[in-house]
PDB file of all heavy atoms in Angstrom:
ATOM      1  N   ALA A  93      61.117 -15.863-100.808  1.00  0.00           N
ATOM      2  CA  ALA A  93      60.292 -15.763-102.016  1.00  0.00           C
ATOM      3  C   ALA A  93      59.508 -17.046-102.311  1.00  0.00           C
ATOM      4  O   ALA A  93      58.635 -17.036-103.180  1.00  0.00           O
ATOM      5  CB  ALA A  93      61.176 -15.421-103.231  1.00  0.00           C
ATOM      6  N   MET A  94      59.797 -18.123-101.610  1.00  0.00           N
ATOM      7  CA  MET A  94      59.142 -19.422-101.909  1.00  0.00           C
ATOM      8  C   MET A  94      57.667 -19.351-101.593  1.00  0.00           C
ATOM      9  O   MET A  94      57.251 -18.742-100.623  1.00  0.00           O
ATOM     10  CB  MET A  94      59.769 -20.547-101.072  1.00  0.00           C
ATOM     11  CG  MET A  94      61.151 -20.980-101.595  1.00  0.00           C
ATOM     12  SD  MET A  94      61.902 -22.231-100.539  1.00  0.00           S
ATOM     13  CE  MET A  94      60.675 -23.566-100.673  1.00  0.00           C
ATOM     14  N   ALA A  95      56.873 -19.967-102.485  1.00  0.00           N
ATOM     15  CA  ALA A  95      55.432 -20.056-102.225  1.00  0.00           C
ATOM     16  C   ALA A  95      55.144 -21.096-101.148  1.00  0.00           C
ATOM     17  O   ALA A  95      54.126 -21.007-100.438  1.00  0.00           O
ATOM     18  CB  ALA A  95      54.708 -20.452-103.502  1.00  0.00           C
ATOM     19  N   GLU A  96      56.055 -22.061-100.963  1.00  0.00           N
ATOM     20  CA  GLU A  96      55.915 -23.048 -99.929  1.00  0.00           C
ATOM     21  C   GLU A  96      56.318 -22.431 -98.553  1.00  0.00           C
ATOM     22  O   GLU A  96      57.205 -21.596 -98.508  1.00  0.00           O
ATOM     23  CB  GLU A  96      56.782 -24.236-100.169  1.00  0.00           C
ATOM     24  CG  GLU A  96      56.278 -25.217-101.189  1.00  0.00           C
ATOM     25  CD  GLU A  96      57.140 -26.448-101.282  1.00  0.00           C
ATOM     26  OE1 GLU A  96      58.368 -26.333-101.308  1.00  0.00           O
ATOM     27  OE2 GLU A  96      56.579 -27.558-101.256  1.00  0.00           O
ATOM     28  N   GLY A  97      55.659 -22.892 -97.531  1.00  0.00           N
ATOM     29  CA  GLY A  97      56.050 -22.487 -96.172  1.00  0.00           C
ATOM     30  C   GLY A  97      57.276 -23.284 -95.761  1.00  0.00           C
ATOM     31  O   GLY A  97      57.390 -24.477 -96.065  1.00  0.00           O
ATOM     32  N   VAL A  98      58.230 -22.637 -95.096  1.00  0.00           N
ATOM     33  CA  VAL A  98      59.441 -23.293 -94.626  1.00  0.00           C
ATOM     34  C   VAL A  98      59.562 -22.973 -93.145  1.00  0.00           C
ATOM     35  O   VAL A  98      59.555 -21.826 -92.733  1.00  0.00           O
ATOM     36  CB  VAL A  98      60.685 -22.835 -95.366  1.00  0.00           C
ATOM     37  CG1 VAL A  98      61.909 -23.489 -94.823  1.00  0.00           C
ATOM     38  CG2 VAL A  98      60.553 -23.040 -96.862  1.00  0.00           C
ATOM     39  N   VAL A  99      59.736 -24.046 -92.312  1.00  0.00           N
ATOM     40  CA  VAL A  99      59.932 -23.888 -90.876  1.00  0.00           C
ATOM     41  C   VAL A  99      61.097 -24.760 -90.484  1.00  0.00           C
ATOM     42  O   VAL A  99      61.203 -25.901 -90.936  1.00  0.00           O
ATOM     43  CB  VAL A  99      58.635 -24.315 -90.119  1.00  0.00           C
ATOM     44  CG1 VAL A  99      58.939 -24.416 -88.613  1.00  0.00           C
ATOM     45  CG2 VAL A  99      57.521 -23.317 -90.349  1.00  0.00           C
ATOM     46  N   ILE A 100      61.985 -24.219 -89.613  1.00  0.00           N
ATOM     47  CA  ILE A 100      63.111 -24.987 -89.132  1.00  0.00           C
ATOM     48  C   ILE A 100      62.874 -25.265 -87.634  1.00  0.00           C
ATOM     49  O   ILE A 100      62.665 -24.345 -86.853  1.00  0.00           O
ATOM     50  CB  ILE A 100      64.427 -24.240 -89.330  1.00  0.00           C
ATOM     51  CG1 ILE A 100      64.683 -24.010 -90.827  1.00  0.00           C
ATOM     52  CG2 ILE A 100      65.623 -25.016 -88.700  1.00  0.00           C
ATOM     53  CD1 ILE A 100      65.940 -23.213 -91.133  1.00  0.00           C
ATOM     54  N   HIS A 101      62.952 -26.552 -87.272  1.00  0.00           N
ATOM     55  CA  HIS A 101      62.749 -26.974 -85.900  1.00  0.00           C
ATOM     56  C   HIS A 101      64.084 -27.317 -85.270  1.00  0.00           C
ATOM     57  O   HIS A 101      64.919 -28.028 -85.888  1.00  0.00           O
ATOM     58  CB  HIS A 101      61.836 -28.198 -85.819  1.00  0.00           C
ATOM     59  CG  HIS A 101      60.425 -27.955 -86.270  1.00  0.00           C
ATOM     60  ND1 HIS A 101      59.477 -27.478 -85.442  1.00  0.00           N
ATOM     61  CD2 HIS A 101      59.835 -28.143 -87.482  1.00  0.00           C
ATOM     62  CE1 HIS A 101      58.333 -27.362 -86.089  1.00  0.00           C
ATOM     63  NE2 HIS A 101      58.556 -27.763 -87.342  1.00  0.00           N
ATOM     64  N   GLU A 102      64.330 -26.887 -84.045  1.00  0.00           N
ATOM     65  CA  GLU A 102      65.500 -27.275 -83.295  1.00  0.00           C
ATOM     66  C   GLU A 102      65.311 -28.730 -82.783  1.00  0.00           C
ATOM     67  O   GLU A 102      64.215 -29.276 -82.896  1.00  0.00           O
ATOM     68  CB  GLU A 102      65.718 -26.321 -82.096  1.00  0.00           C
ATOM     69  CG  GLU A 102      66.030 -24.897 -82.567  1.00  0.00           C
ATOM     70  CD  GLU A 102      66.210 -23.972 -81.372  1.00  0.00           C
ATOM     71  OE1 GLU A 102      65.932 -24.401 -80.216  1.00  0.00           O
ATOM     72  OE2 GLU A 102      66.676 -22.833 -81.605  1.00  0.00           O
ATOM     73  N   PRO A 103      66.370 -29.340 -82.292  1.00  0.00           N
ATOM     74  CA  PRO A 103      66.226 -30.736 -81.791  1.00  0.00           C
ATOM     75  C   PRO A 103      65.110 -30.889 -80.752  1.00  0.00           C
ATOM     76  O   PRO A 103      64.480 -31.935 -80.659  1.00  0.00           O
ATOM     77  CB  PRO A 103      67.626 -31.036 -81.164  1.00  0.00           C
ATOM     78  CG  PRO A 103      68.541 -30.196 -81.992  1.00  0.00           C
ATOM     79  CD  PRO A 103      67.777 -28.929 -82.259  1.00  0.00           C
ATOM     80  N   SER A 104      64.836 -29.840 -79.999  1.00  0.00           N
ATOM     81  CA  SER A 104      63.762 -29.906 -79.012  1.00  0.00           C
ATOM     82  C   SER A 104      62.364 -29.826 -79.666  1.00  0.00           C
ATOM     83  O   SER A 104      61.343 -30.054 -79.020  1.00  0.00           O
ATOM     84  CB  SER A 104      63.895 -28.747 -78.027  1.00  0.00           C
ATOM     85  OG  SER A 104      63.711 -27.491 -78.691  1.00  0.00           O
ATOM     86  N   GLY A 105      62.330 -29.507 -80.970  1.00  0.00           N
ATOM     87  CA  GLY A 105      61.076 -29.336 -81.675  1.00  0.00           C
ATOM     88  C   GLY A 105      60.661 -27.883 -81.790  1.00  0.00           C
ATOM     89  O   GLY A 105      59.776 -27.555 -82.565  1.00  0.00           O
TER      90      GLY A 105
END
Side-chain angles (χ1 to χ4, degrees):
M94 285 176 62
E96 282 187 313
V98 179
V99 169
I100 299 177
H101 295 274
E102 295 180 350
S104 64

